[in-house]
Each structure stands twice: as structure tokens, then as C-alpha cells.
Amino acid sequence: MHPPIEDYALIGDEQTAALVGRDGSVDWLCVPRFDSAACFARLLGDEDNGHWRIAPKDVEGPCTRRAYRPDTLVLDTEWDTPDGTVRVTDLMPQRERAPDVVRIVEGVSGRVTVRSTLRLRFDYGSIVPWMRRSDGHRIAVAGPDSVWLRSEPAVHTWGEDFGTHSEFTVAEGERVAFVLTWHPSHEARPPLVDPYEALSSSVADWRSWVGRCTYQGPYRDAVVRSLITLKALSYAPTGGIVAAATTSLPEELGGVRNWDYRFCWLRDSTLTLGALLSAGYHKEAAAWRDWLLRAVAGNPADLQIMYGLAGERRLPETELPWLAGYNGSAPVRSGNDAVTQLQLDVYGEVMDSLYLARRSGLSAKPHMWAMQGALLQFLESAWRQPDEGLWEVRGGRRQFVHSKVMVWVAADRAVRTLEEHPDLPGDPDAWRALRDEVHREVCEKGYDPERNTFTQYYGSRELDAALLLIPRVGFLPPEDPRVIGTVDAVRAELGHGGFVRRYDAEDTPVDGLPGGEGAFLACSFWLADALHLTGRTQEARELFERLLGLTNDVGLLAEEYDPVAGRQLGNFPQAFSHIGLVNTALALAGGGGAG
């Protein structure tokens, strides 16, 4: 059995990330990018699929305590043993050329014998590299990948069972640092990183970045931790933000709902932009906006729901059958076929994001408005099509209400942009007509007057948590009885252990997959927002604080939560969940939010 998902902490260098367990094992690392093949894949397999554990000798269980250093992504893990206390500090410093994992072992008290076990397995745990020694390094090579391991000071290292092992003793105040560096095998070794300088500079850099945060309201610690997590999930060279650092962590234990989230989704764009802008991170917001403009450039009919880190369009989905999956949840997937789906809501999300960017003072790009006009022209003829909806269902296209609402958002933001900037070219009358027509159809075909609620798709009785966004995007005012009825219906029918599911996955054929899933955390934050907007702020605050209670011991959230088993589910950490946390905290503090 794998440890619970919430047992993991994140370290990263804004180009990739690693997951470190409470037992001191790095069980997931893709190099050199988030979407590269993993060289540690124990998370989705077993120890022979690659991991790196540093812990006191003969201690098999979890650590005594761990925490990030305040306002950083530097992780301290400590064990109390009969012989004394030892600390392991984990980080990935900002890279110049190559990704490095730095692990510093420090004696806190007494004398503790520590063991390091490194099993490198390239290509998602399928390839055992050739190991050799050179200049005090252990060097692993297989195909395009090369990894160098060294320690300062040098400790005795030996090979055994296709792993690299070290054993040493540290007394109070003594330190041993390990540095693991990846680079392409055909290139020369990159410059060596001083592990202690890397630690000092990483702490300083993170604290300087956090110092730019303008939010000073309630729940600031949770907000800052979420913002650090979003920063860690950013791909610095392009400004893209991945949905999560992992692939195939299950939405249902033992089930097949295991997807690759190491890409950038347009559905997250407005909420991400709003969170960054509201917290004072205009540079990061501009980088995300610029990534968005590059990614969506081209024929509006070819707009995708997600892209690669640099805007790549081809993300073919394949299965990795040699990995058994997290707690037997197979298949394990690389890539995501949902990239080919039609989701009309992304047009609204792009238009809303660029409208928000313009209103917030981000400098407009010369081609931006022309591209927005092309998107509207496409929607004028395409908006009546059924689509797969924002949840990427695989059970066939439908007339999803949320998709139509976001078409309305696209037209509305275009009209508002022209009203605020009348010098821009465009046809406001045509776009008003489109906006009015979509609004009228949604209210006629997407609303159930008997139950006083909007529905998941035209003519259905099913509900969808995305309907909670109707007042947030301005489709109807919060005080409208149809909005209040929808909020109440979603809470009653999609409620799960005090939180909210996306939709009824088990009793309807919408998503075309067997099994179910947990409560969706982003949707639960949306419910808190909707309660606040409809005047039930105390209930919103109570829900928000319950959601905060789901974060793990270092403040991280996955995609979903199982209220029955009391554990997190889905890919981890999940940007969408942390964006929801930030925006709800801002709304409850009176700072508004995205959308």
C-alpha cells in the first residue's frame, strides 16, 4: 500500500517538482520538466520503479515532524530516535542550467546513523541505468538521461540490489549534503552547485517573493502557502502553470479515473489571473497572460482546452502498463486525450481573462484585441454546438449549461471592452445580440422551473457544481431567485460529507466511465463563494474553514477529498484547489476575487 497522498510535500525549481514523503523518500520526480518522464516513480509503482530515501538507519516509519521553513518551499523533516535527533532539509534551487535536488542531513542532538538509498529508474521506472564512479560522483546513464550524485563531505557509497547506498553518522552540528543533478547524457556535466549556498539563496529568494504579497487579511498563512504552491507549479521559461505536478493519482482508489495533469488548462485562466492580481503578483499574472496569448494563437476553431508548458498542442495519451498504479489504481497514463475535445467554455475563459488583464492595468499586446475578435466571430456560428463541457466527460457531447453561460461571458466581455475602450474596432451591436440570444436560450432550456434550479445540460434533471459560477461571472445577479435556488439545489443534491461533488458520476451516463469520485475541492470553494455572494457569509466562512482543515500538515491540497475515508484523492498538489482557496479567502476578506 502506498502512503496517503497527503503524506507528501512538494519541492521544486519552477521547471519541475518532486514529492517527498513523511518517511523521507522522494517518490516522484520528472526531469527536466514537469511533463518529462519520471526518474522516481515509486508513487505509481513500487520501490523498484525509483525512489530516494534518506532517514535514520532501521527506522521504517514516518518522521517525527516536518514543516516548510516559513514563507519558503524549503522542507525540514526531523526524526527523534533513541540516539538523538536528525534533520533532513530538502530543496530544489533555482536552476541555471540543470535541475538539482539538494538534501542536507544535519545532526540536531546526540549521534544518529543515517542511511541513504537511491534507486534511479528512467522513463517512468522502466529503465535501470548503468552506474559508474568519477571524481567522487556516482554517475547513472541510460539513453538520453544522465544523473550525477555527490556528497559534501564525501561518505562511503556502495552499490547493492540495483541501488546506491550510503551510511554515515552525524553528531550535533554536523552536516552532510547530497546533490543529485540531471543533464542530457550527451552533454558535459553542468557546473557544480554549492548545497549550502543553494539553501541560503533559496530561503532568501522565496522570502523576498512572499514579501511582494499585498494580502494582509485573515487566513494569510494558508493564502501564502497556496500562492507559493502556484508559483512552484509555474514553468518559469514560459509563464505557464501546470494543473498539478503528477499524473494518474486516482479520483477513486482502485478506479480508472487516473489522468495526467502536468499541462496547462485554459479553464483555470481567469481564476489564476484573478488570484495573482489580487495578491499583488502582477509580473506573474503578465507572464501567465502572455503564455495564454501564445498558446491560443491560430485558427479560433482549433482552440484547445489545454496546452503543454510552452504551448505545445500534441499531448497524446498513452498507458504505462509496467506501473501498477497508486494503490492499484490503473491504468497509469502519460498525456491526455481530452486535449482533442470541444469545450466551448474555454472561449469565455480566454475572453474573461484578457478582459480582466486589461482592466487590471496589464499592458495590452498589439494583436490581443484582433485575436479576441476572431474568437467572437467563431462563436457567432459555433455556439449552438454540443460539447464535452469543462469536466472533459467521455460519455458524448451535450448542450452543457455551463458551456453556454461561458459563451455568454465571451460576448459580454467583448461588449464591455468596447464600451470601456470605444476606440477599439468591433461590432458591439452584433455581440450584444449574441449575448442576449444565449442568455435567453439558457434561461429557457437550461432551467428547471419545477425545482427552481439550472441543470447540467438542456432538458436534464442532473446538476453540475459549475452552475455555482453563474452569479460570479455576472450571468445573473446573486439575489435572483433562480441563483439562490441553484445554490441550494447543488448543495442538497451534490453535497458529500459537507463538501461538493462536481456532478453525479455514479448514477448518470454523462462521463462514460465506471465508478465514482470524491468531493471536488475547487467546487467546494465555489459553494463558499456562492453562499457569500447570496448573503450567507457565516455559512460561507464555516465551509471555508472546514476546507482549510483538509490541507495536509504542510498546507497542501489535492484535487478531491473522500469524506468517508477521510483522505485526499486525485493529482497533487492541485493548482485549481489552491486557486479556489486564495480567491475565497480574498472574497471573505472583502477583496473580491476573479471573474
Side-chain angles (χ1 to χ4, degrees):
M1 296 292 289
H2 291 84
I5 290 170
E6 56 266 29
D7 269 16
Y8 287 98
L10 179 80
I11 59 173
D13 64 0
E14 296 178 55
Q15 295 190 47
T16 191
L19 294 186
V20 187
R22 290 178 58 87
D23 61 352
S25 180
V26 180
D27 287 351
W28 182 254
L29 173 64
C30 301
V31 282
R33 305 189 345 166
F34 290 104
D35 57 352
S36 299
C39 64
F40 298 139
R42 181 190 180 199
L43 180 72
L44 300 175
D46 57 28
E47 290 187 352
D48 197 47
N49 295 124
H51 75 116
W52 182 15
R53 184 169 191 247
I54 299 179
K57 183 183 178 182
D58 299 326
V59 173
E60 296 299 326
C63 62
T64 306
R65 59 192 159 270
R66 67 175 181 174
Y68 286 116
R69 296 195 182 182
D71 293 346
T72 78
L73 200 66
V74 175
L75 180 70
D76 287 324
T77 304
E78 294 185 354
W79 288 264
D80 295 334
T81 76
D83 299 319
T85 297
V86 66
R87 175 188 303 125
V88 177
T89 299
D90 290 314
L91 65 140
M92 293 187 71
Q94 290 281 347
R95 73 174 78 168
E96 294 184 5
R97 281 179 49 192
D100 299 285
V101 177
V102 175
R103 313 196 72 185
I104 299 173
V105 183
E106 181 177 3
V108 178
S109 65
R111 292 180 59 84
V112 181
T113 300
V114 176
R115 182 149 188 168
S116 168
T117 300
L118 170 69
R119 288 188 173 90
L120 282 161
R121 301 290 187 267
F122 296 130
D123 194 25
Y124 296 105
S126 66
I127 298 175
V128 180
W130 181 265
M131 300 291 295
R132 62 184 175 88
R133 294 180 185 267
S134 177
D135 297 330
H137 289 76
R138 282 275 184 166
I139 305 169
V141 176
D145 298 295
S146 180
V147 166
W148 294 59
L149 173 70
R150 77 178 197 279
S151 64
E152 295 183 12
V155 298
H156 175 57
T157 302
W158 72 95
E160 180 182 333
D161 297 330
F162 298 102
T164 300
H165 305 266
S166 305
E167 195 172 291
F168 54 93
T169 299
V170 288
E172 181 177 345
E174 293 180 343
R175 296 192 293 182
V176 175
F178 291 88
V179 181
L180 185 80
T181 304
W182 177 94
H183 70 97
S185 60
H186 64 278
E187 295 182 359
R189 185 198 68 193
L192 299 181
V193 169
D194 183 310
Y196 303 109
E197 286 186 7
L199 172 60
S200 177
S201 61
S202 291
V203 169
D205 288 347
W206 277 110
R207 288 178 177 166
S208 174
W209 186 82
V210 169
R212 292 168 45 203
C213 179
T214 57
Y215 178 71
Q216 300 296 332
Y219 318 109
R220 188 176 188 277
D221 288 347
V223 169
V224 166
R225 179 51 54 196
S226 291
L227 290 167
I228 289 173
T229 304
L230 292 176
K231 179 70 168 172
L233 295 174
S234 301
Y235 185 64
T238 66
I241 301 175
V242 297
T246 58
T247 178
S248 301
L249 288 179
E251 297 170 10
E252 179 184 44
L253 291 178
V256 300
R257 299 169 184 267
N258 318 313
W259 313 110
D260 193 345
Y261 275 17
R262 297 170 299 156
F263 309 114
C264 307
W265 264 258
L266 299 191
R267 73 177 185 202
D268 306 0
S269 58
T270 307
L271 299 175
T272 302
L273 199 66
L276 292 171
L277 289 168
S278 297
Y281 289 104
H282 286 246
K283 178 181 176 182
E284 288 74 12
W288 173 241
R289 188 276 314 269
D290 291 347
W291 173 89
L292 182 67
L293 287 172
R294 293 192 301 271
V296 305
N299 187 338
D302 297 330
L303 189 69
Q304 297 184 177
I305 67 168
M306 72 181 88
Y307 296 85
L309 305 177
E312 298 92 344
R313 290 174 175 256
R314 296 189 184 276
L315 310 174
E317 183 177 303
T318 58
E319 296 184 2
L320 311 179
W322 61 89
L323 291 172
Y326 178 87
N327 283 353
S329 304
V332 172
R333 297 178 171 97
S334 172
N336 199 317
D337 277 347
V339 71
T340 63
Q341 290 188 350
L342 173 66
Q343 294 183 17
L344 292 173
D345 64 289
V346 298
Y347 292 86
E349 282 138 10
V350 170
M351 292 294 292
D352 199 15
S353 296
L354 298 180
Y355 174 72
L356 177 62
R358 189 185 295 271
R359 284 194 66 198
S360 300
L362 298 183
S363 58
K365 299 293 183 178
H367 62 287
M368 188 169 79
W369 181 245
M371 187 194 73
Q372 290 178 264
L375 294 178
L376 260 294
Q377 286 183 335
F378 171 77
L379 280 182
E380 285 176 329
S381 60
W383 74 271
R384 294 185 184 277
Q385 296 182 42
D387 71 341
E388 276 92 1
L390 86 162
W391 301 129
E392 298 155 22
V393 299
R394 302 193 179 198
R397 293 182 177 179
R398 287 172 169 78
Q399 299 285 2
F400 285 105
V401 171
H402 174 263
S403 296
K404 306 306 185 190
V405 168
M406 294 308 294
V407 170
W408 177 90
V409 168
D412 177 73
R413 301 314 188 252
V415 170
R416 289 163 68 174
T417 299
L418 285 180
E419 290 173 347
E420 295 168 14
H421 301 275
D423 54 310
L424 293 174
D427 189 346
D429 291 336
W431 295 340
R432 286 190 187 96
L434 173 63
R435 181 179 64 178
D436 294 345
E437 186 178 8
V438 174
H439 197 280
R440 181 169 54 253
E441 180 175 295
V442 169
C443 291
E444 289 176 358
K445 298 182 178 181
Y447 175 71
D448 182 347
E450 292 183 9
R451 295 154 64 212
N452 188 29
T453 181
F454 286 93
T455 59
Q456 186 177 38
Y457 54 92
Y458 290 176
S460 73
R461 291 186 59 82
E462 288 80 14
L463 299 181
D464 190 322
L467 301 170
L468 295 168
L469 296 172
I470 284 175
R472 184 171 192 162
V473 300
F475 184 83
L476 287 173
E479 63 273 13
D480 190 293
R482 292 168 292 182
V483 169
I484 296 172
T486 299
V487 173
D488 291 342
V490 167
R491 179 160 57 164
E493 297 186 28
L494 297 183
H496 185 29
F499 305 105
V500 180
R501 296 171 295 159
R502 294 185 295 177
Y503 51 88
D504 187 345
E506 295 190 44
D507 296 327
T508 66
V510 169
D511 66 9
L513 296 167
E517 62 182 24
F520 202 82
L521 296 179
C523 297
S524 301
F525 285 112
W526 295 349
L527 176 58
D529 296 338
L531 290 170
H532 174 57
L533 284 171
T534 54
R536 292 170 277 184
T537 298
Q538 184 56 38
E539 294 178 60
R541 194 176 303 279
E542 290 170 357
L543 173 56
F544 180 69
E545 291 178 354
R546 290 201 306 275
L547 286 162
L548 288 185
L550 303 184
T551 61
N552 72 355
D553 59 317
V554 290
L556 301 181
L557 289 169
E559 181 182 29
E560 299 183 6
Y561 180 74
D562 181 347
V564 178
R567 59 184 297 176
Q568 297 192 27
L569 295 172
N571 284 304
F572 177 88
Q574 178 80 5
F576 216 24
S577 299
H578 286 281
I579 293 163
L581 188 157
V582 172
N583 280 320
T584 302
L586 291 167
L588 291 174

